Amino acid sequence: MSLNAFITEETIEGDGDGPLADMTVAVKDNISTEGVRTTCGSAMLETYVPPYDATVVERLKGAGATIIGKANMDEFGMGGTTETSAYGATKNPVDEGHVPGGSSGGSAAAVAAGEADLALGSDTGGSVRNPAAFCGVVGIKPTYGLVSRYGLVAYANSLEQIGPIARNVEDAAALLDVISGPDPRDSTTRFDVGGEGSGAAATADDTHPATDSEYAAAADGDVDSTTIGVVTDLLDGADDRVVERFEAAIDDLRAQGAETVDVSLESVEHAVQAYYVIAMSEASSNLARFDGVRYGKSGGYEGNWNDAFASAREEGFGEEVKRRILLGTFALSAGYHDKYYKKAQDARAWVKHDFDDAFERADVLATPTMPVLPPALGESLDDPLQLYLMDANTVPVNLANLPAISVPAGEADGLPVGLQLIGPKFGEEAIIRAASAVEN
Ligand code: GLN
């Protein structure tokens, strides 16, 4: 009757007291744990044991948390159902005939089932918010640069952040308090050199947005006079049952004193295409290291490097990963680069611009997290396009590097529905506040 939420069950004790001293945590299996196998859901890394901890793992230990295992996931984060895992799919604890979402499906299922108090996932295009929505728990995708990616095995590094999953908003925010902050080992978390805040302070710590933020304290449920922008473009294609729950939640926020305005983001129509070109391009480059020599299953050496690399990759990678490496390599190849990759970057800039405009009119934006209810196990795996389209509401946020939270908004046909709240850059406190009102 196991949900198959974990790939490896092994306890890593934290250091004594701390804000998470009584908490158990499931860590997604693409986050490095010193001495504990980290497979990324791939046969390629079946026996890989990292020699160091990811920064977020160090911080969990420092906060006194007990890590109870490495959570199941779609292979290298590529998927939205946990069915591309080489270790078998995870079941949704709310209804075991359905997928838990993904790619951080093991993390969300463990929390929803009470197997862990908290979990870490990673979100490249929705992989924290999607399984949080499908399992009826809370998930936060932080602003790019809020949380260190050091020790996170890269899928598409310009898009992804590690994020917390918990049964309520306050617990997820408390976990964000622990894992966020500058890290000298991840230059995208530094605010003392170049760009934002440059010259304003002597150290990265002084200017990093996490330094003065108290995320758990922001879960006070106060939405009085908050303006919530409802993104109309992302309601059109959604399942009616999802839209009904979404609208009920928005009505409820209005009753608590929030104002709502309709907002249109024209660029989101192109977001899924742009996301997949960029994600696959970055993946083709990031996954080049898995050749059986530098990392991964050995292909056996028979005198020809090409053959050895090819056989390691043939055996080690699953179908979805191969598809993406091939498409990403194609999109980046000479002669096609301008047609695909450059176009996708233009669309990405447009999405960012559209969000900037929307935040002139609203404090936070709202959409259903997922346009559909959790599919039955096996239902969507054969059709990659159907899977990609499921990401329509989550990927624009990654393209724009913004923060977003998924909070439960009731059930339809016995399956959970999630509400997504999107904030401006480093506006984590605003989305946490509004999400805690949804819980009221
Ligand atoms: N479903 C999306 C993809 O397959 C998102 C994955 C993720 O966020 N890791 O790329």
Side-chain angles (χ1 to χ4, degrees):
M1 268 286 299
S2 154
L3 298 168
N4 198 27
F6 291 94
I7 293 174
T8 304
E9 289 189 65
E10 203 165 316
T11 303
I12 307 172
E13 299 285 354
D15 323 322
D17 296 342
L20 301 182
D22 302 323
M23 297 289 205
T24 56
V25 187
V27 173
K28 188 177 184 179
D29 208 24
N30 60 351
I31 298 174
S32 303
T33 40
E34 182 183 347
V36 176
R37 175 169 90 126
T38 298
T39 70
C40 296
S42 183
M44 181 65 95
L45 293 176
E46 198 175 349
T47 58
Y48 172 63
V49 178
Y52 66 96
D53 276 331
T55 297
V56 293
V57 170
E58 272 179 6
R59 289 188 182 163
L60 281 180
K61 288 180 174 176
T66 304
I67 296 171
I68 56 166
K70 304 300 296 290
N72 200 4
M73 57 181 283
D74 284 296
E75 187 176 2
F76 288 103
M78 300 178 187
T81 64
T82 317
E83 292 169 296
T84 72
S85 170
Y87 303 88
T90 298
K91 294 175 188 162
N92 190 323
V94 179
D95 183 337
E96 294 191 10
H98 291 257
V99 302
S103 64
S104 315
S107 299
V111 169
E115 291 179 13
D117 297 316
L118 303 168
L120 290 182
S122 66
D123 190 312
T124 309
S127 283
V128 164
R129 291 160 286 157
N130 159 337
F134 280 177
C135 291
V137 294
V138 175
I140 301 174
K141 182 266 168 198
T143 308
Y144 193 76
L146 190 76
V147 176
S148 170
R149 284 180 297 107
Y150 180 76
L152 170 69
V153 180
Y155 154 22
N157 48 283
S158 82
L159 297 160
E160 58 210 6
Q161 278 285 289
I162 292 169
I165 295 174
R167 282 187 288 277
N168 60 61
V169 173
E170 190 176 356
D171 285 357
L175 181 50
L176 187 61
D177 279 317
V178 167
I179 61 171
S180 59
D183 178 6
R185 293 174 299 189
D186 176 355
S187 61
T188 62
T189 67
R190 292 182 68 90
F191 281 71
D192 58 337
V193 278
E196 205 135 348
S198 80
T203 69
D205 300 38
D206 288 342
T207 48
H208 192 278
T211 310
D212 303 316
S213 302
E214 291 183 40
Y215 301 118
D220 60 11
D222 181 7
V223 280
D224 201 22
S225 70
T226 300
T227 306
I228 300 174
V230 174
V231 185
T232 49
D233 320 68
L234 295 177
L235 287 175
D236 293 345
D239 186 303
D240 291 342
R241 295 165 295 178
V242 170
V243 175
E244 203 176 297
R245 294 310 319 148
F246 172 79
E247 277 171 351
I250 295 293
D251 282 345
D252 191 64
L253 287 171
R254 243 184 248 122
Q256 295 183 56
E259 282 169 38
T260 57
V261 290
D262 282 353
V263 167
S264 175
L265 300 173
E266 283 179 22
S267 61
V268 298
E269 182 190 339
H270 307 284
V272 171
Q273 293 93 314
Y275 167 81
Y276 275 97
V277 170
I278 293 168
M280 290 178 188
S281 297
E282 290 186 20
S284 71
S285 162
N286 283 322
L287 271 61
R289 73 194 65 170
F290 302 107
D291 54 22
V293 175
R294 286 171 293 176
Y295 288 94
K297 215 183 188 69
S298 170
Y301 179 64
E302 310 232 326
N304 179 323
W305 287 110
N306 247 336
D307 290 348
F309 282 18
S311 73
R313 290 163 75 80
E314 165 62 30
E315 284 172 38
F317 289 141
E319 284 309 302
E320 185 61 27
V321 173
K322 286 178 188 157
R323 171 164 32 244
R324 294 189 187 201
I325 292 172
L326 288 172
L327 286 168
T329 306
F330 176 76
L332 290 178
S333 58
Y336 290 102
H337 177 276
D338 285 6
K339 196 169 170 202
Y340 298 109
Y341 188 71
K342 190 172 170 300
K343 268 240 158 90
Q345 293 295 0
D346 289 347
R348 183 173 190 174
W350 185 17
V351 171
K352 280 188 186 161
H353 186 265
D354 259 2
F355 273 116
D356 286 345
D357 283 353
F359 286 118
E360 305 262 303
R361 302 181 49 215
D363 300 315
V364 299
L365 303 176
T367 77
T369 308
M370 300 301 289
V372 293
L373 293 170
L377 277 160
E379 183 184 322
S380 52
L381 199 57
D382 297 337
D383 183 358
L385 203 57
Q386 190 191 333
L387 269 178
Y388 302 167
L389 288 171
M390 231 165 62
D391 300 331
N393 298 5
T394 50
V395 297
V397 172
N398 301 74
L399 289 171
N401 297 140
L402 298 175
I405 188 167
S406 179
V407 59
E411 293 191 349
D413 294 349
L415 294 166
V417 173
L419 172 82
Q420 172 174 246
L421 293 157
I422 306 167
K425 206 169 172 190
F426 299 112
E428 273 78 2
E429 287 168 317
I431 55 172
I432 287 166
R433 187 165 284 120
S436 64
V438 176
E439 283 179 322
N440 285 344

